[in-house]
Amino acid sequence: MSDIVVFGAGGTAGSRIVVEAFNRGHRVVAAVRRPEATSYLPAGVRVVTGDATSERSVRELAPEADALVVAIGGGERTLWPDAVRALLGALRGMPAAPRIIHVGGGATLLTPAGTRLLDEPDFPEEYRDAASGQAEALDLYRSSADGVSWTYVSPPPLEFRPGERTGRYRTGTDHPVTDAEGRSALSYEDLAVAVIDEIEQPRHRNMRFTAAY
């Protein structure tokens, strides 16, 4: 059993990660900005006010956690790099610091030519700010040298939506995982499975991985 703090627990990804972790018997803290709006989370999950972009908030929640899951969204481009700076700053030098599991963007994955999907000329402009923010977050993790353990999780770049929990998926690193038809798809529910699997059995320390069917 692990102690898991989920920042962004009220969101589409975060709420499913909370449910998956709780159903597997982990102790879960749901860190959200508006605790009063989380009545749909399972009874037994502790809901607190928390902000992944605040070093103070991270320091308050980190000492008794085994893992900090970052599943935040809906903000400005700077939201994700600000969170990484706060997390690394808070955990730097902390004895027995928890791991960071950062749910990032699929647009940072690479094309067969080795370029990022977000840099392709036909990438939708309305998603560019968020994708650029997530890309900066990944770069910050990769350039960190302070001993903090992190994992960045990228969902498929296009076919990623709420659906069924099958409990199955395949993983890759920097390129999308595709099926025989070239599709890369995953439900939010199975992304949550992949996240909790990584917490229970770490396989991608200090690196990014992606998952799809």
Side-chain angles (χ1 to χ4, degrees):
M1 180 187 296
S2 295
D3 291 288
I4 302 171
V5 175
V6 181
F7 288 100
T12 307
S15 60
R16 285 160 173 81
I17 292 167
V18 167
V19 169
E20 181 69 24
F22 182 78
N23 286 345
R24 293 205 209 177
H26 297 290
R27 290 182 290 265
V28 185
V29 174
V32 295
R33 296 191 178 190
R34 296 176 56 234
E36 69 277 6
T38 56
S39 58
Y40 53 87
L41 294 178
V45 170
R46 184 160 69 95
V47 179
V48 301
T49 301
D51 180 359
T53 67
S54 163
E55 278 196 37
R56 178 179 178 179
S57 182
V58 175
R59 285 196 187 98
E60 289 174 350
L61 294 170
E64 297 187 19
D66 298 304
L68 303 179
V69 177
V70 183
I72 57 177
E76 301 290 331
R77 177 191 182 283
T78 58
L79 174 69
W80 298 278
D82 284 348
V84 178
R85 293 185 186 98
L87 287 154
L88 295 178
L91 300 186
R92 187 179 297 116
M94 180 180 291
R99 290 180 68 197
I100 301 168
I101 309 292
H102 183 115
V103 179
T108 60
L109 292 167
L110 304 182
T111 68
T115 58
R116 300 181 305 182
L117 291 167
L118 69 92
D119 295 324
E120 292 296 287
D122 59 348
F123 186 81
E125 197 60 36
E126 62 268 30
Y127 301 127
R128 191 172 300 281
D129 273 358
S132 297
Q134 287 282 24
E136 184 179 350
L138 178 57
D139 289 343
L140 286 169
Y141 284 123
R142 285 175 165 168
S143 64
S144 66
D146 45 23
V148 177
S149 179
W150 60 271
T151 298
Y152 186 104
V153 187
S154 285
L158 294 176
E159 296 189 56
F160 178 49
R161 56 184 63 93
E164 179 187 359
R165 181 195 186 282
T166 70
R168 60 178 180 82
Y169 58 90
R170 295 176 295 136
T171 61
T173 52
D174 289 328
H175 292 82
V177 174
T178 57
D179 62 16
E181 285 74 44
R183 293 180 57 207
S184 182
L186 191 71
S187 69
Y188 275 87
E189 288 75 7
D190 282 329
L191 180 78
V193 174
V195 167
I196 303 306
D197 283 350
E198 178 64 25
I199 292 174
E200 293 180 346
Q201 299 181 11
R203 294 188 175 93
H204 303 92
R205 288 188 183 274
N206 299 332
M207 62 184 295
R208 181 253 293 280
F209 80 92
T210 184
Y213 299 124

